[in-house]
Amino acid sequence: MTVTAIGAAVRRKEDHRFITGKGQYTDDINRPGQTHAYFLRSPHAHANLKKIDLSKAKAMPGVVAIYTGDDVAADKIGGLICGWMIHSKDGTPMRAGPHPILAQGKVRYVGDHVAVVIAETLSQAKDAAEAIVVDYDVLPAVVEAGKAQAKGAPQVHTEAPANTVYDWHIGDKAATEAAFKAAKHVTKLDIVNNRLVPNAMEPRAAIGEYDAGNDALTLHTTSQNPHVARLVLSAFIGIAPEHKLRVIAPDVGGGFGSKIFIYAEETVCVWAARKCGRPVKWTADRTEEFLCVAHGRDHVTRAELAIDADGKITGLRAKTIANMGAYLSTFASSVPTYLYATLLSGQYAIPNIYCEVDAVYTNTAPVDAYRGAGRPEATFVVERLVETAAREIGMDPAAFRRRNFITKFPHQTPVIMTYDCGDYKASLTKAMEMADVKGFGKRRREAARRGKLRGLGYSTYIEACGIAPSQAVGSLGAGVGLWESAEVRVNPVGTVEILTGSHSHGQGHETTFAQLVSSRLGISIDNVSIVHGDTDKVQFGMGTYGSRSGAVGMSAISKALDKIEAKAKKVAAHVLEAAEADIDFKDGKFTVKGTDKAVDFGTVALNAYIAHKFNPQELEPGLKEGSFYDPTNFTFPAGCHICEIEVDQETGVARIVKWTAVDDFGNVINPMIVEGQVHGGIAQGVGQALLEGTVYTADGQLVTASYMDYAMPRAHDLPSFEVGMTVTPCPSNPLGIKGCGEAGAIAAPAAVINALTDALGTEDVPMPATPLALWSIIAKQSKAAIAAE
Amino acid sequence: MPTVTLTVNGRSVTADVDSRTLLVQMLRETLHLTGTHVGCDTSQCGACVVHVDGKAVKSCTTLAVQCDGASVVTIEGLAQDGKLHPMQEAFREHHGLQCGFCTPGMIMSAVDIVNRKGIVDEATIREELEGNICRCTGYHNIVRAVEAGAKAMVSGTPVRQAAE
Ligand code: FES
Ligand code: FES
């Protein structure tokens, strides 16, 4: 294996620009004549907009224009859309209220967009925004998912009575009820999956620009999927037809889902650029990110597990209320349904599953996909139930898992998914060895002598990635197909450009995609460049999320490379004056079977372009091929994470002392990058479990709107991680890849809470398990102990 | 408008700036040194760290006028004569970055840690990085990078050359 081949820990090609400060993020770009946008945002969670007086603000220095919802309406600019239709139990379509880019008549959460001020400088725009006088008629607000459907709760949208967007279900209710009736033991848990703020370190930003000469618009924006952004802006919002709108997502500083969506701000920037005839730039400050980026999670769930006398799981049922926030964000409706309840079988053979999900509006920021999207919520439900059930029936949690693991593939779950492959025992066994589970009892006793409560928790997770077969998701309500495109352009001297619809915002595509090309064509990765993130360069693509860029994006490249190889063989046959059937291609060389005749890839590429050696009427000149790859199934990465934690009895501070992750991602292109994805995912999952809480007051003020109040994981909150792998190659795509981007965030919260509940001896530990929360539990326990004496 | 003269990455620059201009704004907007980033508005994330007279400072919390006469080094000035600084090498070698947004501040902080403390152990690195937030890496490889970068800075041991 050469050092750049598939499977090698190749150092990243993109790093040079980032470590030298030469990255080009949206906010680093400035356009001639550029103006600055500042959004006047609602300070109220719920209010009618009686009057907006702009007269004083418009006269302020530097102001170019001020627009409100009236201007949007007058220009017939549409609202933001939600691209996944969910039907309620009774078959009725979800009840979605309008989502205007600037508020029309009503504001529905703190941060909602009331007006945009466009000025020569940002300071001038801010000053003018302060001079806008808004007459609000403040209404009562509802912020908690569990309270949204209550009688008399404030109504967020008239379209959705009882604030209910849909009440959906999946699975066989009667069969599941029967399983519970027959159960030997039933485990019940009430679970709150805390709301999170994604917090990519680069705040969202946009620059809209209008070319009057060609009547064309350009939008630079922090997007994970610029083509989808262009499609939505064109076809649904009506900004401009697609061929008159170019969307560029340059270097993007992290996304984690939050930059999939099409937001009000970039839409306003590109609309306003034409209206005021100047480029319009907007960059969120961190507080705006907290207020207005799509949040994640926020589920309230009652979950139950039925177990028979042999310790076999016979049924699972759950009722979840999912907080959608004040508006339905781009893919919000799919997250608590098809990305959540379809994973409730976990790694286990569970014959009966039934799940009901109510999605509710509240006066909070919209909630949508955040790293893992629905799958962390499902894993948390399943893994908390399984761990608790094992403890309740007095079985070792690992042995209980083993008894219930799926071992035969393909496996059809009762909730849509067909798992194609996996070896769950292998990852559990390897993780237990790496974590030295055998020695845990001794470590626990040693910790107790130091006044620490030590616990160990498992999370044997599964996820559905490689999103997704277009027909399958179409039948479930998706408004788009989820294939990916690739184009391979071979230049006359044999260097290669790959145009991909995937988008890299930290994942290292410039390296891994080049490794694939390098290993297939036998050329150096330095001779391969990856082009992405520009709708004028790449024809179309679905972007990067759901751990799909390896399984789907690279499969498209692989398919296009097949075509390149096939055509290059034809050219080589002419160059080598041999029959095409006698040509072999290996390590960058075309050879003629049984001879020593050979020609390298670069020479063949040159011959393809000069077209001297073949009849162009029979074989077209040039060497460029494309592919649209649509996956045949989801992929199912799975694995086992083990968290060992110590809680200080005096302070309630929890410290992770050991983290072991063994993941099965199928084939791996670059283990260094894959491990990095695992590390980052675990950190976000640990953040959810121990640190990150999003707090709204009862009247809808976001209390945790800065890094002073929202606890981001820092270096000293985390340990180093032990990461191992097992491999069952994925049979559902040509490269055998399953995807690795979300695993850590999916696995980690349950592992942490299972470790904490083990340490504390109670199943009732909330997320985030802050020192205060843990200290309160310990204090209550010691009070009870004293009272009992 | 006050006039501010700075030496930035070894070059003397003079600019008229609004008195409320932050150092980071002067670097990014006036001098077009966009390697220094802004990740927050409460002086927490460290994406903006540069060196002012040899010390790491958060340029989002420093007024440009405060730095009049000072020598400023940004991420763009760290490599010398086309040769990467050992800490830059170490971040690349140990995959200490993903999206790259926190990276300039991380590297500038890391260099400062080693300037102050020399070779440091993992616990110290983690404590010292308390003012730098990374959302991508989980810090695991940042710690590896700082360990290796520190060794290379102190003893001149080269960071292992990239396997390519
Ligand atoms: S931008 Fe300076 S600390 Fe965040
Ligand atoms: S590499 Fe993305 S924030 Fe650190």
Side-chain angles (χ1 to χ4, degrees), chain A residues 11-12 19 25 27-28 198 286-287 692 713-715 720, chain B residues 28 39 41 44 88 93 98-99 122 126 130 135 139 160:
Chain A
R11 301 307 186 265
R12 298 202 319 173
I19 58 177
Y25 301 88
D27 189 55
D28 299 341
R286 184 54 59 183
T287 306
E692 299 178 38
R714 309 211 182 203
S720 285
Chain B
R28 288 181 56 83
D41 42 18
Q44 296 278 310
Q88 290 172 309
E93 177 61 28
Q98 290 180 23
C99 78
E122 169 165 358
R126 289 186 182 271
E130 116 94 6
R135 192 56 149 171
Y139 305 99
R160 187 173 70 85

PDB file of all heavy atoms in Angstrom, chain A residues 11-12 19 25 27-28 198 286-287 692 713-715 720, chain B residues 28 39 41 44 88 93 98-99 122 126 130 135 139 160:
ATOM      1  N   ARG A  11      -1.807  13.030   5.751  1.00  0.00           N
ATOM      2  CA  ARG A  11      -1.994  14.360   6.339  1.00  0.00           C
ATOM      3  C   ARG A  11      -2.784  15.220   5.368  1.00  0.00           C
ATOM      4  O   ARG A  11      -2.680  15.072   4.158  1.00  0.00           O
ATOM      5  CB  ARG A  11      -0.648  14.985   6.672  1.00  0.00           C
ATOM      6  CG  ARG A  11       0.176  14.142   7.647  1.00  0.00           C
ATOM      7  CD  ARG A  11      -0.635  13.810   8.903  1.00  0.00           C
ATOM      8  NE  ARG A  11       0.154  13.115   9.926  1.00  0.00           N
ATOM      9  CZ  ARG A  11       0.196  11.784  10.069  1.00  0.00           C
ATOM     10  NH1 ARG A  11      -0.489  10.983   9.264  1.00  0.00           N
ATOM     11  NH2 ARG A  11       0.930  11.247  11.020  1.00  0.00           N
ATOM     12  N   ARG A  12      -3.548  16.148   5.923  1.00  0.00           N
ATOM     13  CA  ARG A  12      -4.560  16.800   5.094  1.00  0.00           C
ATOM     14  C   ARG A  12      -3.991  17.862   4.149  1.00  0.00           C
ATOM     15  O   ARG A  12      -3.205  18.723   4.542  1.00  0.00           O
ATOM     16  CB  ARG A  12      -5.626  17.450   5.970  1.00  0.00           C
ATOM     17  CG  ARG A  12      -6.386  16.465   6.837  1.00  0.00           C
ATOM     18  CD  ARG A  12      -7.720  16.990   7.277  1.00  0.00           C
ATOM     19  NE  ARG A  12      -7.691  18.392   7.654  1.00  0.00           N
ATOM     20  CZ  ARG A  12      -8.777  19.096   7.936  1.00  0.00           C
ATOM     21  NH1 ARG A  12      -9.971  18.537   7.889  1.00  0.00           N
ATOM     22  NH2 ARG A  12      -8.680  20.356   8.280  1.00  0.00           N
ATOM     23  N   ILE A  19      -3.615  26.618   8.603  1.00  0.00           N
ATOM     24  CA  ILE A  19      -2.595  26.876   9.638  1.00  0.00           C
ATOM     25  C   ILE A  19      -1.781  28.123   9.339  1.00  0.00           C
ATOM     26  O   ILE A  19      -1.048  28.603  10.194  1.00  0.00           O
ATOM     27  CB  ILE A  19      -1.649  25.658   9.859  1.00  0.00           C
ATOM     28  CG1 ILE A  19      -0.953  25.265   8.569  1.00  0.00           C
ATOM     29  CG2 ILE A  19      -2.399  24.483  10.471  1.00  0.00           C
ATOM     30  CD1 ILE A  19       0.044  24.121   8.729  1.00  0.00           C
ATOM     31  N   TYR A  25     -13.081  32.232   4.593  1.00  0.00           N
ATOM     32  CA  TYR A  25     -14.430  32.051   5.117  1.00  0.00           C
ATOM     33  C   TYR A  25     -15.283  33.215   4.621  1.00  0.00           C
ATOM     34  O   TYR A  25     -14.754  34.242   4.179  1.00  0.00           O
ATOM     35  CB  TYR A  25     -14.407  31.990   6.643  1.00  0.00           C
ATOM     36  CG  TYR A  25     -13.542  30.864   7.182  1.00  0.00           C
ATOM     37  CD1 TYR A  25     -12.177  31.056   7.410  1.00  0.00           C
ATOM     38  CD2 TYR A  25     -14.083  29.605   7.433  1.00  0.00           C
ATOM     39  CE1 TYR A  25     -11.378  30.029   7.884  1.00  0.00           C
ATOM     40  CE2 TYR A  25     -13.283  28.567   7.908  1.00  0.00           C
ATOM     41  CZ  TYR A  25     -11.929  28.781   8.137  1.00  0.00           C
ATOM     42  OH  TYR A  25     -11.141  27.765   8.597  1.00  0.00           O
ATOM     43  N   ASP A  27     -16.922  35.576   5.981  1.00  0.00           N
ATOM     44  CA  ASP A  27     -16.670  36.914   6.533  1.00  0.00           C
ATOM     45  C   ASP A  27     -15.316  37.482   6.103  1.00  0.00           C
ATOM     46  O   ASP A  27     -15.061  38.674   6.261  1.00  0.00           O
ATOM     47  CB  ASP A  27     -16.769  36.883   8.069  1.00  0.00           C
ATOM     48  CG  ASP A  27     -16.741  38.289   8.664  1.00  0.00           C
ATOM     49  OD1 ASP A  27     -17.580  39.111   8.241  1.00  0.00           O
ATOM     50  OD2 ASP A  27     -15.876  38.567   9.515  1.00  0.00           O
ATOM     51  N   ASP A  28     -14.449  36.643   5.560  1.00  0.00           N
ATOM     52  CA  ASP A  28     -13.155  37.143   5.076  1.00  0.00           C
ATOM     53  C   ASP A  28     -13.290  37.809   3.711  1.00  0.00           C
ATOM     54  O   ASP A  28     -12.342  38.413   3.203  1.00  0.00           O
ATOM     55  CB  ASP A  28     -12.149  35.983   4.939  1.00  0.00           C
ATOM     56  CG  ASP A  28     -11.878  35.302   6.269  1.00  0.00           C
ATOM     57  OD1 ASP A  28     -12.150  35.917   7.315  1.00  0.00           O
ATOM     58  OD2 ASP A  28     -11.413  34.144   6.248  1.00  0.00           O
ATOM     59  N   PRO A 198     -26.029  24.424  18.357  1.00  0.00           N
ATOM     60  CA  PRO A 198     -24.931  23.768  17.636  1.00  0.00           C
ATOM     61  C   PRO A 198     -23.571  24.450  17.802  1.00  0.00           C
ATOM     62  O   PRO A 198     -22.559  23.782  17.986  1.00  0.00           O
ATOM     63  CB  PRO A 198     -25.394  23.801  16.181  1.00  0.00           C
ATOM     64  CG  PRO A 198     -26.887  23.843  16.277  1.00  0.00           C
ATOM     65  CD  PRO A 198     -27.197  24.644  17.506  1.00  0.00           C
ATOM     66  N   ARG A 286     -22.095  36.221  18.057  1.00  0.00           N
ATOM     67  CA  ARG A 286     -22.381  34.964  18.745  1.00  0.00           C
ATOM     68  C   ARG A 286     -23.760  34.974  19.400  1.00  0.00           C
ATOM     69  O   ARG A 286     -24.464  33.974  19.411  1.00  0.00           O
ATOM     70  CB  ARG A 286     -21.276  34.657  19.772  1.00  0.00           C
ATOM     71  CG  ARG A 286     -21.406  33.338  20.481  1.00  0.00           C
ATOM     72  CD  ARG A 286     -21.527  32.124  19.561  1.00  0.00           C
ATOM     73  NE  ARG A 286     -20.395  31.959  18.659  1.00  0.00           N
ATOM     74  CZ  ARG A 286     -20.320  31.008  17.725  1.00  0.00           C
ATOM     75  NH1 ARG A 286     -21.300  30.134  17.561  1.00  0.00           N
ATOM     76  NH2 ARG A 286     -19.265  30.949  16.938  1.00  0.00           N
ATOM     77  N   THR A 287     -24.156  36.130  19.907  1.00  0.00           N
ATOM     78  CA  THR A 287     -25.475  36.190  20.538  1.00  0.00           C
ATOM     79  C   THR A 287     -26.573  35.915  19.510  1.00  0.00           C
ATOM     80  O   THR A 287     -27.532  35.198  19.790  1.00  0.00           O
ATOM     81  CB  THR A 287     -25.678  37.563  21.200  1.00  0.00           C
ATOM     82  OG1 THR A 287     -24.580  37.785  22.080  1.00  0.00           O
ATOM     83  CG2 THR A 287     -26.966  37.621  21.984  1.00  0.00           C
ATOM     84  N   GLU A 692     -23.999  21.282  28.432  1.00  0.00           N
ATOM     85  CA  GLU A 692     -24.756  22.213  27.602  1.00  0.00           C
ATOM     86  C   GLU A 692     -26.251  22.193  27.918  1.00  0.00           C
ATOM     87  O   GLU A 692     -26.937  21.230  27.635  1.00  0.00           O
ATOM     88  CB  GLU A 692     -24.537  21.887  26.121  1.00  0.00           C
ATOM     89  CG  GLU A 692     -23.084  22.005  25.701  1.00  0.00           C
ATOM     90  CD  GLU A 692     -22.844  21.630  24.250  1.00  0.00           C
ATOM     91  OE1 GLU A 692     -23.692  21.969  23.409  1.00  0.00           O
ATOM     92  OE2 GLU A 692     -21.826  20.996  23.965  1.00  0.00           O
ATOM     93  N   PRO A 713     -17.995  22.612  25.820  1.00  0.00           N
ATOM     94  CA  PRO A 713     -16.898  21.766  26.291  1.00  0.00           C
ATOM     95  C   PRO A 713     -15.551  22.430  25.991  1.00  0.00           C
ATOM     96  O   PRO A 713     -15.317  22.882  24.873  1.00  0.00           O
ATOM     97  CB  PRO A 713     -17.047  20.480  25.469  1.00  0.00           C
ATOM     98  CG  PRO A 713     -18.416  20.516  24.898  1.00  0.00           C
ATOM     99  CD  PRO A 713     -18.797  21.953  24.778  1.00  0.00           C
ATOM    100  N   ARG A 714     -14.724  22.505  27.003  1.00  0.00           N
ATOM    101  CA  ARG A 714     -13.367  23.044  26.820  1.00  0.00           C
ATOM    102  C   ARG A 714     -12.377  21.906  27.009  1.00  0.00           C
ATOM    103  O   ARG A 714     -12.746  20.819  27.467  1.00  0.00           O
ATOM    104  CB  ARG A 714     -13.115  24.164  27.813  1.00  0.00           C
ATOM    105  CG  ARG A 714     -14.247  25.175  27.771  1.00  0.00           C
ATOM    106  CD  ARG A 714     -13.812  26.567  28.083  1.00  0.00           C
ATOM    107  NE  ARG A 714     -14.989  27.423  28.044  1.00  0.00           N
ATOM    108  CZ  ARG A 714     -14.953  28.718  27.832  1.00  0.00           C
ATOM    109  NH1 ARG A 714     -13.815  29.336  27.633  1.00  0.00           N
ATOM    110  NH2 ARG A 714     -16.067  29.414  27.815  1.00  0.00           N
ATOM    111  N   ALA A 715     -11.127  22.208  26.719  1.00  0.00           N
ATOM    112  CA  ALA A 715     -10.121  21.139  26.716  1.00  0.00           C
ATOM    113  C   ALA A 715     -10.066  20.415  28.054  1.00  0.00           C
ATOM    114  O   ALA A 715      -9.914  19.193  28.111  1.00  0.00           O
ATOM    115  CB  ALA A 715      -8.753  21.721  26.361  1.00  0.00           C
ATOM    116  N   SER A 720      -8.449  12.395  27.030  1.00  0.00           N
ATOM    117  CA  SER A 720      -8.091  11.831  25.732  1.00  0.00           C
ATOM    118  C   SER A 720      -8.941  10.583  25.548  1.00  0.00           C
ATOM    119  O   SER A 720      -9.394   9.983  26.522  1.00  0.00           O
ATOM    120  CB  SER A 720      -6.607  11.485  25.696  1.00  0.00           C
ATOM    121  OG  SER A 720      -5.853  12.681  25.568  1.00  0.00           O
TER     122      SER A 720
ATOM    123  N   ARG B  28      -8.356  42.751  10.523  1.00  0.00           N
ATOM    124  CA  ARG B  28      -9.158  42.117   9.476  1.00  0.00           C
ATOM    125  C   ARG B  28      -9.613  43.104   8.413  1.00  0.00           C
ATOM    126  O   ARG B  28      -9.548  42.817   7.229  1.00  0.00           O
ATOM    127  CB  ARG B  28     -10.401  41.437  10.093  1.00  0.00           C
ATOM    128  CG  ARG B  28     -10.098  40.175  10.883  1.00  0.00           C
ATOM    129  CD  ARG B  28     -11.382  39.552  11.445  1.00  0.00           C
ATOM    130  NE  ARG B  28     -12.352  39.272  10.393  1.00  0.00           N
ATOM    131  CZ  ARG B  28     -12.323  38.191   9.642  1.00  0.00           C
ATOM    132  NH1 ARG B  28     -11.406  37.265   9.830  1.00  0.00           N
ATOM    133  NH2 ARG B  28     -13.229  38.013   8.692  1.00  0.00           N
ATOM    134  N   GLY B  39     -15.024  34.616  16.897  1.00  0.00           N
ATOM    135  CA  GLY B  39     -15.970  33.526  17.131  1.00  0.00           C
ATOM    136  C   GLY B  39     -16.990  33.837  18.203  1.00  0.00           C
ATOM    137  O   GLY B  39     -17.909  33.067  18.426  1.00  0.00           O
ATOM    138  N   ASP B  41     -18.606  37.136  21.201  1.00  0.00           N
ATOM    139  CA  ASP B  41     -18.670  38.551  21.557  1.00  0.00           C
ATOM    140  C   ASP B  41     -18.505  38.733  23.063  1.00  0.00           C
ATOM    141  O   ASP B  41     -18.898  39.746  23.625  1.00  0.00           O
ATOM    142  CB  ASP B  41     -19.981  39.182  21.058  1.00  0.00           C
ATOM    143  CG  ASP B  41     -21.179  38.271  21.284  1.00  0.00           C
ATOM    144  OD1 ASP B  41     -21.077  37.337  22.114  1.00  0.00           O
ATOM    145  OD2 ASP B  41     -22.214  38.477  20.620  1.00  0.00           O
ATOM    146  N   GLN B  44     -14.488  34.848  24.998  1.00  0.00           N
ATOM    147  CA  GLN B  44     -14.417  33.486  25.520  1.00  0.00           C
ATOM    148  C   GLN B  44     -13.717  32.493  24.594  1.00  0.00           C
ATOM    149  O   GLN B  44     -13.120  31.533  25.068  1.00  0.00           O
ATOM    150  CB  GLN B  44     -15.843  32.967  25.762  1.00  0.00           C
ATOM    151  CG  GLN B  44     -16.616  33.731  26.811  1.00  0.00           C
ATOM    152  CD  GLN B  44     -16.273  33.278  28.196  1.00  0.00           C
ATOM    153  OE1 GLN B  44     -16.280  32.104  28.489  1.00  0.00           O
ATOM    154  NE2 GLN B  44     -15.932  34.211  29.054  1.00  0.00           N
ATOM    155  N   GLN B  88       2.821  25.199  13.837  1.00  0.00           N
ATOM    156  CA  GLN B  88       1.957  25.011  12.661  1.00  0.00           C
ATOM    157  C   GLN B  88       2.137  23.597  12.103  1.00  0.00           C
ATOM    158  O   GLN B  88       1.169  22.894  11.815  1.00  0.00           O
ATOM    159  CB  GLN B  88       2.308  26.042  11.577  1.00  0.00           C
ATOM    160  CG  GLN B  88       1.903  27.467  11.935  1.00  0.00           C
ATOM    161  CD  GLN B  88       2.442  28.476  10.930  1.00  0.00           C
ATOM    162  OE1 GLN B  88       3.647  28.485  10.621  1.00  0.00           O
ATOM    163  NE2 GLN B  88       1.565  29.341  10.424  1.00  0.00           N
ATOM    164  N   GLU B  93       0.538  17.869  11.363  1.00  0.00           N
ATOM    165  CA  GLU B  93       1.014  16.489  11.526  1.00  0.00           C
ATOM    166  C   GLU B  93       0.076  15.676  12.426  1.00  0.00           C
ATOM    167  O   GLU B  93      -0.162  14.499  12.186  1.00  0.00           O
ATOM    168  CB  GLU B  93       2.435  16.514  12.117  1.00  0.00           C
ATOM    169  CG  GLU B  93       3.031  15.163  12.418  1.00  0.00           C
ATOM    170  CD  GLU B  93       3.180  14.278  11.179  1.00  0.00           C
ATOM    171  OE1 GLU B  93       3.331  14.851  10.073  1.00  0.00           O
ATOM    172  OE2 GLU B  93       3.128  13.049  11.319  1.00  0.00           O
ATOM    173  N   GLN B  98      -9.854  20.721  12.156  1.00  0.00           N
ATOM    174  CA  GLN B  98     -10.822  20.195  11.185  1.00  0.00           C
ATOM    175  C   GLN B  98     -11.334  21.334  10.312  1.00  0.00           C
ATOM    176  O   GLN B  98     -10.853  21.537   9.208  1.00  0.00           O
ATOM    177  CB  GLN B  98     -11.927  19.425  11.904  1.00  0.00           C
ATOM    178  CG  GLN B  98     -11.384  18.098  12.497  1.00  0.00           C
ATOM    179  CD  GLN B  98     -12.406  17.268  13.215  1.00  0.00           C
ATOM    180  OE1 GLN B  98     -13.603  17.367  12.986  1.00  0.00           O
ATOM    181  NE2 GLN B  98     -11.948  16.406  14.124  1.00  0.00           N
ATOM    182  N   CYS B  99     -12.268  22.131  10.831  1.00  0.00           N
ATOM    183  CA  CYS B  99     -12.771  23.216   9.979  1.00  0.00           C
ATOM    184  C   CYS B  99     -11.779  24.358   9.877  1.00  0.00           C
ATOM    185  O   CYS B  99     -11.872  25.197   8.989  1.00  0.00           O
ATOM    186  CB  CYS B  99     -14.107  23.735  10.477  1.00  0.00           C
ATOM    187  SG  CYS B  99     -13.987  24.848  11.897  1.00  0.00           S
ATOM    188  N   GLU B 122       0.033  16.976  29.464  1.00  0.00           N
ATOM    189  CA  GLU B 122      -1.339  17.052  28.945  1.00  0.00           C
ATOM    190  C   GLU B 122      -2.252  17.881  29.846  1.00  0.00           C
ATOM    191  O   GLU B 122      -3.003  18.735  29.369  1.00  0.00           O
ATOM    192  CB  GLU B 122      -1.911  15.636  28.764  1.00  0.00           C
ATOM    193  CG  GLU B 122      -3.413  15.658  28.488  1.00  0.00           C
ATOM    194  CD  GLU B 122      -3.987  14.361  27.940  1.00  0.00           C
ATOM    195  OE1 GLU B 122      -3.225  13.409  27.713  1.00  0.00           O
ATOM    196  OE2 GLU B 122      -5.217  14.336  27.746  1.00  0.00           O
ATOM    197  N   ARG B 126      -4.286  21.252  28.737  1.00  0.00           N
ATOM    198  CA  ARG B 126      -5.745  21.375  28.794  1.00  0.00           C
ATOM    199  C   ARG B 126      -6.168  22.568  29.655  1.00  0.00           C
ATOM    200  O   ARG B 126      -7.097  23.294  29.303  1.00  0.00           O
ATOM    201  CB  ARG B 126      -6.367  20.064  29.302  1.00  0.00           C
ATOM    202  CG  ARG B 126      -6.281  18.935  28.274  1.00  0.00           C
ATOM    203  CD  ARG B 126      -7.015  17.675  28.722  1.00  0.00           C
ATOM    204  NE  ARG B 126      -6.873  16.606  27.731  1.00  0.00           N
ATOM    205  CZ  ARG B 126      -7.708  16.423  26.691  1.00  0.00           C
ATOM    206  NH1 ARG B 126      -8.749  17.221  26.525  1.00  0.00           N
ATOM    207  NH2 ARG B 126      -7.502  15.445  25.834  1.00  0.00           N
ATOM    208  N   GLU B 130      -7.897  26.859  28.246  1.00  0.00           N
ATOM    209  CA  GLU B 130      -9.248  27.154  28.740  1.00  0.00           C
ATOM    210  C   GLU B 130      -9.879  28.330  27.994  1.00  0.00           C
ATOM    211  O   GLU B 130     -11.093  28.379  27.819  1.00  0.00           O
ATOM    212  CB  GLU B 130      -9.170  27.311  30.253  1.00  0.00           C
ATOM    213  CG  GLU B 130      -9.479  28.614  30.855  1.00  0.00           C
ATOM    214  CD  GLU B 130     -10.934  28.663  31.275  1.00  0.00           C
ATOM    215  OE1 GLU B 130     -11.654  27.664  31.193  1.00  0.00           O
ATOM    216  OE2 GLU B 130     -11.353  29.747  31.653  1.00  0.00           O
ATOM    217  N   ARG B 135     -14.966  23.470  18.412  1.00  0.00           N
ATOM    218  CA  ARG B 135     -16.168  22.643  18.379  1.00  0.00           C
ATOM    219  C   ARG B 135     -15.947  21.359  17.584  1.00  0.00           C
ATOM    220  O   ARG B 135     -16.767  20.451  17.652  1.00  0.00           O
ATOM    221  CB  ARG B 135     -17.322  23.453  17.766  1.00  0.00           C
ATOM    222  CG  ARG B 135     -18.712  22.843  17.918  1.00  0.00           C
ATOM    223  CD  ARG B 135     -19.108  22.539  19.349  1.00  0.00           C
ATOM    224  NE  ARG B 135     -20.537  22.652  19.595  1.00  0.00           N
ATOM    225  CZ  ARG B 135     -21.125  22.274  20.723  1.00  0.00           C
ATOM    226  NH1 ARG B 135     -20.394  21.761  21.709  1.00  0.00           N
ATOM    227  NH2 ARG B 135     -22.421  22.439  20.889  1.00  0.00           N
ATOM    228  N   TYR B 139     -10.590  18.315  21.071  1.00  0.00           N
ATOM    229  CA  TYR B 139      -9.302  18.712  21.680  1.00  0.00           C
ATOM    230  C   TYR B 139      -8.243  17.608  21.700  1.00  0.00           C
ATOM    231  O   TYR B 139      -7.065  17.900  21.903  1.00  0.00           O
ATOM    232  CB  TYR B 139      -9.487  19.257  23.110  1.00  0.00           C
ATOM    233  CG  TYR B 139     -10.459  20.403  23.193  1.00  0.00           C
ATOM    234  CD1 TYR B 139     -11.777  20.198  23.588  1.00  0.00           C
ATOM    235  CD2 TYR B 139     -10.073  21.700  22.858  1.00  0.00           C
ATOM    236  CE1 TYR B 139     -12.689  21.254  23.654  1.00  0.00           C
ATOM    237  CE2 TYR B 139     -10.977  22.760  22.916  1.00  0.00           C
ATOM    238  CZ  TYR B 139     -12.283  22.522  23.326  1.00  0.00           C
ATOM    239  OH  TYR B 139     -13.171  23.565  23.389  1.00  0.00           O
ATOM    240  N   ARG B 160       7.600  15.175  13.158  1.00  0.00           N
ATOM    241  CA  ARG B 160       7.772  14.157  12.109  1.00  0.00           C
ATOM    242  C   ARG B 160       7.169  14.635  10.781  1.00  0.00           C
ATOM    243  O   ARG B 160       6.077  15.193  10.751  1.00  0.00           O
ATOM    244  CB  ARG B 160       7.088  12.856  12.528  1.00  0.00           C
ATOM    245  CG  ARG B 160       7.361  11.695  11.586  1.00  0.00           C
ATOM    246  CD  ARG B 160       6.782  10.411  12.167  1.00  0.00           C
ATOM    247  NE  ARG B 160       5.323  10.418  12.154  1.00  0.00           N
ATOM    248  CZ  ARG B 160       4.588  10.053  11.092  1.00  0.00           C
ATOM    249  NH1 ARG B 160       5.166   9.687   9.980  1.00  0.00           N
ATOM    250  NH2 ARG B 160       3.275  10.074  11.165  1.00  0.00           N
TER     251      ARG B 160
END
